[in-house]
mmCIF file of all heavy atoms in Angstrom:
data_model
loop_
_atom_site.group_PDB
_atom_site.id
_atom_site.type_symbol
_atom_site.label_atom_id
_atom_site.label_comp_id
_atom_site.label_asym_id
_atom_site.label_seq_id
_atom_site.Cartn_x
_atom_site.Cartn_y
_atom_site.Cartn_z
ATOM 1 N N PHE A 1381 0.839 -1.206 -0.003
ATOM 2 C CA PHE A 1381 0.006 0.004 -0.001
ATOM 3 C C PHE A 1381 0.877 1.252 0.006
ATOM 4 O O PHE A 1381 0.672 2.161 -0.806
ATOM 5 C CB PHE A 1381 -0.943 -0.031 1.197
ATOM 6 C CG PHE A 1381 -1.871 1.139 1.302
ATOM 7 C CD1 PHE A 1381 -2.504 1.665 0.192
ATOM 8 C CD2 PHE A 1381 -2.129 1.732 2.523
ATOM 9 C CE1 PHE A 1381 -3.388 2.740 0.284
ATOM 10 C CE2 PHE A 1381 -2.984 2.805 2.633
ATOM 11 C CZ PHE A 1381 -3.621 3.322 1.508
ATOM 12 N N GLN A 1382 1.881 1.271 0.889
ATOM 13 C CA GLN A 1382 2.760 2.428 0.962
ATOM 14 C C GLN A 1382 3.490 2.619 -0.366
ATOM 15 O O GLN A 1382 3.588 3.741 -0.868
ATOM 16 C CB GLN A 1382 3.764 2.247 2.099
ATOM 17 C CG GLN A 1382 4.685 3.445 2.215
ATOM 18 C CD GLN A 1382 5.640 3.347 3.404
ATOM 19 O OE1 GLN A 1382 5.765 2.297 4.046
ATOM 20 N NE2 GLN A 1382 6.328 4.435 3.685
ATOM 21 N N GLN A 1383 3.972 1.545 -0.953
ATOM 22 C CA GLN A 1383 4.701 1.657 -2.220
ATOM 23 C C GLN A 1383 3.807 2.159 -3.339
ATOM 24 O O GLN A 1383 4.222 2.959 -4.154
ATOM 25 C CB GLN A 1383 5.312 0.305 -2.602
ATOM 26 C CG GLN A 1383 6.239 0.380 -3.811
ATOM 27 C CD GLN A 1383 7.477 1.238 -3.515
ATOM 28 O OE1 GLN A 1383 8.176 1.007 -2.546
ATOM 29 N NE2 GLN A 1383 7.709 2.231 -4.364
ATOM 30 N N SER A 1384 2.538 1.704 -3.360
ATOM 31 C CA SER A 1384 1.615 2.157 -4.412
ATOM 32 C C SER A 1384 1.352 3.654 -4.274
ATOM 33 O O SER A 1384 1.324 4.357 -5.297
ATOM 34 C CB SER A 1384 0.308 1.356 -4.369
ATOM 35 O OG SER A 1384 -0.464 1.634 -3.231
ATOM 36 N N ILE A 1385 1.175 4.133 -3.084
ATOM 37 C CA ILE A 1385 0.949 5.562 -2.853
ATOM 38 C C ILE A 1385 2.219 6.336 -3.244
ATOM 39 O O ILE A 1385 2.148 7.365 -3.927
ATOM 40 C CB ILE A 1385 0.547 5.852 -1.397
ATOM 41 C CG1 ILE A 1385 -0.773 5.133 -1.065
ATOM 42 C CG2 ILE A 1385 0.468 7.348 -1.129
ATOM 43 C CD1 ILE A 1385 -1.933 5.433 -1.982
ATOM 44 N N ASP A 1386 3.366 5.853 -2.804
ATOM 45 C CA ASP A 1386 4.623 6.514 -3.159
ATOM 46 C C ASP A 1386 4.824 6.569 -4.677
ATOM 47 O O ASP A 1386 5.253 7.604 -5.209
ATOM 48 C CB ASP A 1386 5.814 5.778 -2.509
ATOM 49 C CG ASP A 1386 5.900 6.000 -1.010
ATOM 50 O OD1 ASP A 1386 5.177 6.845 -0.465
ATOM 51 O OD2 ASP A 1386 6.685 5.262 -0.373
ATOM 52 N N ASP A 1387 4.507 5.480 -5.379
ATOM 53 C CA ASP A 1387 4.695 5.423 -6.818
ATOM 54 C C ASP A 1387 3.773 6.379 -7.558
ATOM 55 O O ASP A 1387 4.192 7.071 -8.492
ATOM 56 C CB ASP A 1387 4.528 4.003 -7.347
ATOM 57 C CG ASP A 1387 5.706 3.096 -6.973
ATOM 58 O OD1 ASP A 1387 6.740 3.588 -6.506
ATOM 59 O OD2 ASP A 1387 5.551 1.873 -7.175
ATOM 60 N N LEU A 1388 2.502 6.426 -7.143
ATOM 61 C CA LEU A 1388 1.564 7.340 -7.783
ATOM 62 C C LEU A 1388 1.964 8.791 -7.516
ATOM 63 O O LEU A 1388 1.964 9.627 -8.429
ATOM 64 C CB LEU A 1388 0.134 7.103 -7.312
ATOM 65 C CG LEU A 1388 -0.548 5.862 -7.885
ATOM 66 C CD1 LEU A 1388 -1.905 5.635 -7.215
ATOM 67 C CD2 LEU A 1388 -0.721 5.970 -9.396
ATOM 68 N N ALA A 1389 2.330 9.100 -6.276
ATOM 69 C CA ALA A 1389 2.740 10.456 -5.951
ATOM 70 C C ALA A 1389 4.012 10.859 -6.679
ATOM 71 O O ALA A 1389 4.108 11.959 -7.223
ATOM 72 C CB ALA A 1389 2.949 10.610 -4.445
ATOM 73 N N ALA A 1390 4.982 9.947 -6.766
ATOM 74 C CA ALA A 1390 6.239 10.248 -7.466
ATOM 75 C C ALA A 1390 6.009 10.548 -8.936
ATOM 76 O O ALA A 1390 6.702 11.383 -9.524
ATOM 77 C CB ALA A 1390 7.210 9.079 -7.306
ATOM 78 N N ALA A 1391 5.044 9.867 -9.537
ATOM 79 C CA ALA A 1391 4.768 10.074 -10.965
ATOM 80 C C ALA A 1391 4.288 11.493 -11.273
ATOM 81 O O ALA A 1391 4.470 11.974 -12.398
ATOM 82 C CB ALA A 1391 3.732 9.067 -11.441
ATOM 83 N N PHE A 1392 3.722 12.167 -10.265
ATOM 84 C CA PHE A 1392 3.206 13.525 -10.471
ATOM 85 C C PHE A 1392 3.891 14.564 -9.557
ATOM 86 O O PHE A 1392 3.413 15.682 -9.452
ATOM 87 C CB PHE A 1392 1.691 13.519 -10.238
ATOM 88 C CG PHE A 1392 0.950 12.704 -11.258
ATOM 89 C CD1 PHE A 1392 0.603 11.386 -10.996
ATOM 90 C CD2 PHE A 1392 0.601 13.239 -12.482
ATOM 91 C CE1 PHE A 1392 -0.061 10.626 -11.932
ATOM 92 C CE2 PHE A 1392 -0.080 12.490 -13.439
ATOM 93 C CZ PHE A 1392 -0.415 11.167 -13.158
ATOM 94 N N ALA A 1393 5.011 14.177 -8.978
ATOM 95 C CA ALA A 1393 5.687 15.053 -7.997
ATOM 96 C C ALA A 1393 6.129 16.382 -8.582
ATOM 97 O O ALA A 1393 6.195 17.371 -7.856
ATOM 98 C CB ALA A 1393 6.873 14.319 -7.400
ATOM 99 N N ASN A 1394 6.428 16.451 -9.849
ATOM 100 C CA ASN A 1394 6.907 17.694 -10.457
ATOM 101 C C ASN A 1394 5.825 18.455 -11.196
ATOM 102 O O ASN A 1394 6.139 19.353 -12.005
ATOM 103 C CB ASN A 1394 8.065 17.372 -11.420
ATOM 104 C CG ASN A 1394 9.255 16.817 -10.668
ATOM 105 O OD1 ASN A 1394 9.588 17.261 -9.577
ATOM 106 N ND2 ASN A 1394 9.892 15.803 -11.260
ATOM 107 N N GLU A 1395 4.575 18.156 -10.934
ATOM 108 C CA GLU A 1395 3.462 18.763 -11.651
ATOM 109 C C GLU A 1395 2.771 19.913 -10.901
ATOM 110 O O GLU A 1395 1.779 20.445 -11.366
ATOM 111 C CB GLU A 1395 2.404 17.699 -12.004
ATOM 112 C CG GLU A 1395 2.912 16.630 -12.935
ATOM 113 C CD GLU A 1395 3.153 17.126 -14.355
ATOM 114 O OE1 GLU A 1395 2.588 18.187 -14.726
ATOM 115 O OE2 GLU A 1395 3.883 16.468 -15.084
ATOM 116 N N ASN A 1396 3.295 20.269 -9.730
ATOM 117 C CA ASN A 1396 2.708 21.380 -8.950
ATOM 118 C C ASN A 1396 1.209 21.197 -8.729
ATOM 119 O O ASN A 1396 0.412 22.076 -9.038
ATOM 120 C CB ASN A 1396 2.987 22.732 -9.595
ATOM 121 C CG ASN A 1396 4.472 23.000 -9.717
ATOM 122 O OD1 ASN A 1396 5.217 22.796 -8.750
ATOM 123 N ND2 ASN A 1396 4.924 23.404 -10.880
ATOM 124 N N ILE A 1397 0.833 20.061 -8.210
ATOM 125 C CA ILE A 1397 -0.568 19.705 -7.951
ATOM 126 C C ILE A 1397 -1.082 20.535 -6.779
ATOM 127 O O ILE A 1397 -0.469 20.528 -5.711
ATOM 128 C CB ILE A 1397 -0.716 18.198 -7.659
ATOM 129 C CG1 ILE A 1397 -0.119 17.337 -8.776
ATOM 130 C CG2 ILE A 1397 -2.173 17.844 -7.354
ATOM 131 C CD1 ILE A 1397 -0.771 17.491 -10.116
ATOM 132 N N ASP A 1398 -2.221 21.192 -6.973
ATOM 133 C CA ASP A 1398 -2.872 21.904 -5.882
ATOM 134 C C ASP A 1398 -3.884 21.033 -5.149
ATOM 135 O O ASP A 1398 -4.014 21.101 -3.931
ATOM 136 C CB ASP A 1398 -3.634 23.138 -6.430
ATOM 137 C CG ASP A 1398 -2.707 24.155 -7.062
ATOM 138 O OD1 ASP A 1398 -1.738 24.553 -6.393
ATOM 139 O OD2 ASP A 1398 -2.956 24.528 -8.232
ATOM 140 N N ILE A 1399 -4.621 20.234 -5.911
ATOM 141 C CA ILE A 1399 -5.726 19.425 -5.364
ATOM 142 C C ILE A 1399 -5.670 18.043 -5.983
ATOM 143 O O ILE A 1399 -5.484 17.890 -7.204
ATOM 144 C CB ILE A 1399 -7.105 20.064 -5.722
ATOM 145 C CG1 ILE A 1399 -7.239 21.457 -5.103
ATOM 146 C CG2 ILE A 1399 -8.263 19.159 -5.315
ATOM 147 C CD1 ILE A 1399 -7.460 21.506 -3.616
ATOM 148 N N VAL A 1400 -5.924 17.037 -5.160
ATOM 149 C CA VAL A 1400 -6.147 15.676 -5.631
ATOM 150 C C VAL A 1400 -7.631 15.410 -5.427
ATOM 151 O O VAL A 1400 -8.180 15.672 -4.368
ATOM 152 C CB VAL A 1400 -5.300 14.629 -4.889
ATOM 153 C CG1 VAL A 1400 -5.694 13.211 -5.289
ATOM 154 C CG2 VAL A 1400 -3.805 14.863 -5.132
ATOM 155 N N VAL A 1401 -8.263 14.883 -6.466
ATOM 156 C CA VAL A 1401 -9.685 14.549 -6.413
ATOM 157 C C VAL A 1401 -9.822 13.038 -6.476
ATOM 158 O O VAL A 1401 -9.207 12.380 -7.308
ATOM 159 C CB VAL A 1401 -10.447 15.207 -7.603
ATOM 160 C CG1 VAL A 1401 -11.843 14.671 -7.713
ATOM 161 C CG2 VAL A 1401 -10.449 16.718 -7.440
ATOM 162 N N GLY A 1402 -10.634 12.489 -5.558
ATOM 163 C CA GLY A 1402 -10.874 11.046 -5.534
ATOM 164 C C GLY A 1402 -12.353 10.741 -5.567
ATOM 165 O O GLY A 1402 -13.097 11.178 -4.703
ATOM 166 N N PRO A 1403 -12.813 10.001 -6.602
ATOM 167 C CA PRO A 1403 -14.210 9.613 -6.671
ATOM 168 C C PRO A 1403 -14.578 8.537 -5.615
ATOM 169 O O PRO A 1403 -13.741 7.683 -5.291
ATOM 170 C CB PRO A 1403 -14.365 9.033 -8.073
ATOM 171 C CG PRO A 1403 -13.169 9.493 -8.832
ATOM 172 C CD PRO A 1403 -12.082 9.659 -7.817
ATOM 173 N N GLU A 1404 -15.796 8.608 -5.161
ATOM 174 C CA GLU A 1404 -16.318 7.660 -4.161
ATOM 175 C C GLU A 1404 -16.245 6.252 -4.714
ATOM 176 O O GLU A 1404 -16.517 6.015 -5.868
ATOM 177 C CB GLU A 1404 -17.780 8.028 -3.868
ATOM 178 C CG GLU A 1404 -18.324 7.296 -2.679
ATOM 179 C CD GLU A 1404 -19.662 7.881 -2.219
ATOM 180 O OE1 GLU A 1404 -19.861 9.104 -2.247
ATOM 181 O OE2 GLU A 1404 -20.500 7.086 -1.823
ATOM 182 N N ALA A 1405 -15.917 5.295 -3.941
ATOM 183 C CA ALA A 1405 -15.424 5.352 -2.591
ATOM 184 C C ALA A 1405 -13.952 4.950 -2.547
ATOM 185 O O ALA A 1405 -13.196 5.447 -1.725
ATOM 186 C CB ALA A 1405 -16.227 4.421 -1.671
ATOM 187 N N ARG A 1406 -13.555 4.079 -3.429
ATOM 188 C CA ARG A 1406 -12.155 3.626 -3.381
ATOM 189 C C ARG A 1406 -11.182 4.716 -3.762
ATOM 190 O O ARG A 1406 -10.017 4.670 -3.376
ATOM 191 C CB ARG A 1406 -11.980 2.357 -4.215
ATOM 192 C CG ARG A 1406 -12.697 1.145 -3.592
ATOM 193 C CD ARG A 1406 -12.550 -0.104 -4.426
ATOM 194 N NE ARG A 1406 -13.135 0.008 -5.747
ATOM 195 C CZ ARG A 1406 -14.379 -0.346 -6.049
ATOM 196 N NH1 ARG A 1406 -15.180 -0.834 -5.127
ATOM 197 N NH2 ARG A 1406 -14.844 -0.223 -7.270
ATOM 198 N N GLY A 1407 -11.649 5.723 -4.494
ATOM 199 C CA GLY A 1407 -10.802 6.868 -4.800
ATOM 200 C C GLY A 1407 -10.379 7.637 -3.541
ATOM 201 O O GLY A 1407 -9.367 8.307 -3.525
ATOM 202 N N PHE A 1408 -11.196 7.522 -2.467
ATOM 203 C CA PHE A 1408 -10.841 8.139 -1.197
ATOM 204 C C PHE A 1408 -9.621 7.439 -0.600
ATOM 205 O O PHE A 1408 -8.692 8.083 -0.105
ATOM 206 C CB PHE A 1408 -11.956 8.058 -0.171
ATOM 207 C CG PHE A 1408 -13.270 8.709 -0.546
ATOM 208 C CD1 PHE A 1408 -14.335 8.624 0.313
ATOM 209 C CD2 PHE A 1408 -13.431 9.424 -1.714
ATOM 210 C CE1 PHE A 1408 -15.541 9.205 0.003
ATOM 211 C CE2 PHE A 1408 -14.633 10.027 -2.034
ATOM 212 C CZ PHE A 1408 -15.692 9.916 -1.166
ATOM 213 N N ALA A 1409 -9.639 6.092 -0.651
ATOM 214 C CA ALA A 1409 -8.565 5.303 -0.022
ATOM 215 C C ALA A 1409 -7.231 5.503 -0.696
ATOM 216 O O ALA A 1409 -6.181 5.422 -0.047
ATOM 217 C CB ALA A 1409 -8.937 3.810 -0.035
ATOM 218 N N VAL A 1410 -7.235 5.820 -1.994
ATOM 219 C CA VAL A 1410 -6.011 6.006 -2.736
ATOM 220 C C VAL A 1410 -5.681 7.498 -2.864
ATOM 221 O O VAL A 1410 -4.538 7.904 -2.701
ATOM 222 C CB VAL A 1410 -6.112 5.349 -4.134
ATOM 223 C CG1 VAL A 1410 -4.798 5.478 -4.892
ATOM 224 C CG2 VAL A 1410 -6.502 3.890 -4.010
ATOM 225 N N GLY A 1411 -6.683 8.295 -3.141
ATOM 226 C CA GLY A 1411 -6.460 9.708 -3.414
ATOM 227 C C GLY A 1411 -5.992 10.524 -2.223
ATOM 228 O O GLY A 1411 -5.102 11.366 -2.346
ATOM 229 N N ALA A 1412 -6.592 10.286 -1.058
ATOM 230 C CA ALA A 1412 -6.220 11.074 0.133
ATOM 231 C C ALA A 1412 -4.740 10.895 0.497
ATOM 232 O O ALA A 1412 -4.056 11.893 0.720
ATOM 233 C CB ALA A 1412 -7.143 10.752 1.304
ATOM 234 N N PRO A 1413 -4.208 9.664 0.542
ATOM 235 C CA PRO A 1413 -2.797 9.567 0.868
ATOM 236 C C PRO A 1413 -1.868 10.097 -0.233
ATOM 237 O O PRO A 1413 -0.785 10.598 0.072
ATOM 238 C CB PRO A 1413 -2.564 8.065 1.098
ATOM 239 C CG PRO A 1413 -3.775 7.357 0.632
ATOM 240 C CD PRO A 1413 -4.880 8.351 0.551
ATOM 241 N N VAL A 1414 -2.290 10.036 -1.486
ATOM 242 C CA VAL A 1414 -1.487 10.648 -2.556
ATOM 243 C C VAL A 1414 -1.456 12.151 -2.359
ATOM 244 O O VAL A 1414 -0.402 12.796 -2.492
ATOM 245 C CB VAL A 1414 -2.028 10.282 -3.961
ATOM 246 C CG1 VAL A 1414 -1.370 11.115 -5.053
ATOM 247 C CG2 VAL A 1414 -1.795 8.786 -4.229
ATOM 248 N N ALA A 1415 -2.595 12.750 -2.018
ATOM 249 C CA ALA A 1415 -2.655 14.186 -1.756
ATOM 250 C C ALA A 1415 -1.709 14.559 -0.600
ATOM 251 O O ALA A 1415 -0.955 15.529 -0.700
ATOM 252 C CB ALA A 1415 -4.083 14.617 -1.416
ATOM 253 N N TYR A 1416 -1.736 13.764 0.442
ATOM 254 C CA TYR A 1416 -0.848 13.998 1.584
ATOM 255 C C TYR A 1416 0.610 13.983 1.153
ATOM 256 O O TYR A 1416 1.390 14.880 1.484
ATOM 257 C CB TYR A 1416 -1.101 12.934 2.651
ATOM 258 C CG TYR A 1416 -0.180 12.998 3.826
ATOM 259 C CD1 TYR A 1416 -0.412 13.902 4.869
ATOM 260 C CD2 TYR A 1416 0.936 12.174 3.905
ATOM 261 C CE1 TYR A 1416 0.449 13.961 5.967
ATOM 262 C CE2 TYR A 1416 1.792 12.237 4.985
ATOM 263 C CZ TYR A 1416 1.556 13.154 6.003
ATOM 264 O OH TYR A 1416 2.401 13.218 7.077
ATOM 265 N N LYS A 1417 0.986 12.986 0.342
ATOM 266 C CA LYS A 1417 2.366 12.886 -0.135
ATOM 267 C C LYS A 1417 2.759 14.085 -0.996
ATOM 268 O O LYS A 1417 3.902 14.526 -0.966
ATOM 269 C CB LYS A 1417 2.529 11.643 -1.013
ATOM 270 C CG LYS A 1417 2.939 10.355 -0.412
ATOM 271 C CD LYS A 1417 4.128 10.403 0.437
ATOM 272 C CE LYS A 1417 5.326 9.786 -0.225
ATOM 273 N NZ LYS A 1417 6.423 9.559 0.696
ATOM 274 N N LEU A 1418 1.808 14.588 -1.782
ATOM 275 C CA LEU A 1418 2.091 15.709 -2.689
ATOM 276 C C LEU A 1418 1.922 17.055 -1.982
ATOM 277 O O LEU A 1418 2.120 18.098 -2.626
ATOM 278 C CB LEU A 1418 1.159 15.641 -3.914
ATOM 279 C CG LEU A 1418 1.400 14.477 -4.864
ATOM 280 C CD1 LEU A 1418 0.331 14.430 -5.937
ATOM 281 C CD2 LEU A 1418 2.785 14.561 -5.478
ATOM 282 N N ARG A 1419 1.532 17.035 -0.696
ATOM 283 C CA ARG A 1419 1.267 18.273 0.050
ATOM 284 C C ARG A 1419 0.186 19.094 -0.645
ATOM 285 O O ARG A 1419 0.243 20.325 -0.715
ATOM 286 C CB ARG A 1419 2.529 19.100 0.258
ATOM 287 C CG ARG A 1419 3.570 18.379 1.089
ATOM 288 C CD ARG A 1419 4.802 19.248 1.315
ATOM 289 N NE ARG A 1419 5.741 18.584 2.169
ATOM 290 C CZ ARG A 1419 5.784 18.708 3.496
ATOM 291 N NH1 ARG A 1419 4.929 19.456 4.118
ATOM 292 N NH2 ARG A 1419 6.717 18.084 4.182
ATOM 293 N N ALA A 1420 -0.790 18.374 -1.164
ATOM 294 C CA ALA A 1420 -1.919 18.996 -1.855
ATOM 295 C C ALA A 1420 -3.176 18.806 -1.045
ATOM 296 O O ALA A 1420 -3.235 17.953 -0.141
ATOM 297 C CB ALA A 1420 -2.078 18.353 -3.235
ATOM 298 N N GLY A 1421 -4.216 19.545 -1.362
ATOM 299 C CA GLY A 1421 -5.508 19.330 -0.770
ATOM 300 C C GLY A 1421 -6.172 18.094 -1.380
ATOM 301 O O GLY A 1421 -5.772 17.614 -2.435
ATOM 302 N N PHE A 1422 -7.199 17.619 -0.696
ATOM 303 C CA PHE A 1422 -7.966 16.481 -1.207
ATOM 304 C C PHE A 1422 -9.446 16.855 -1.279
ATOM 305 O O PHE A 1422 -9.995 17.440 -0.335
ATOM 306 C CB PHE A 1422 -7.808 15.245 -0.321
ATOM 307 C CG PHE A 1422 -8.646 14.099 -0.785
ATOM 308 C CD1 PHE A 1422 -8.256 13.340 -1.899
ATOM 309 C CD2 PHE A 1422 -9.838 13.754 -0.155
ATOM 310 C CE1 PHE A 1422 -9.029 12.289 -2.361
ATOM 311 C CE2 PHE A 1422 -10.615 12.717 -0.591
ATOM 312 C CZ PHE A 1422 -10.217 11.959 -1.693
#
C-alpha cells in the first residue's frame, strides 16, 4: 500500500498539484494519501 501511494505520488511530483480529487469510494482510499504525499488538498 505504501509503495503504491509513493509510486503514484512520485509520478506527479513535479506537476505542482494543488488538489487531488478522488471519486467515491475507493478513490478516497487512494487519493487522500497521494494528496498527503504531494502536500496537496484532497
Side-chain angles (χ1 to χ4, degrees):
F1381 181 42
Q1382 182 177 9
Q1383 188 64 53
S1384 69
I1385 298 305
D1386 288 349
D1387 287 349
L1388 285 173
F1392 295 95
N1394 296 320
E1395 296 290 340
N1396 300 313
I1397 305 298
D1398 297 307
I1399 298 287
V1400 173
V1401 169
E1404 191 168 323
R1406 291 179 298 267
F1408 299 177
V1410 183
V1414 169
Y1416 175 82
K1417 269 309 254 193
L1418 292 173
R1419 297 182 177 268
F1422 177 76

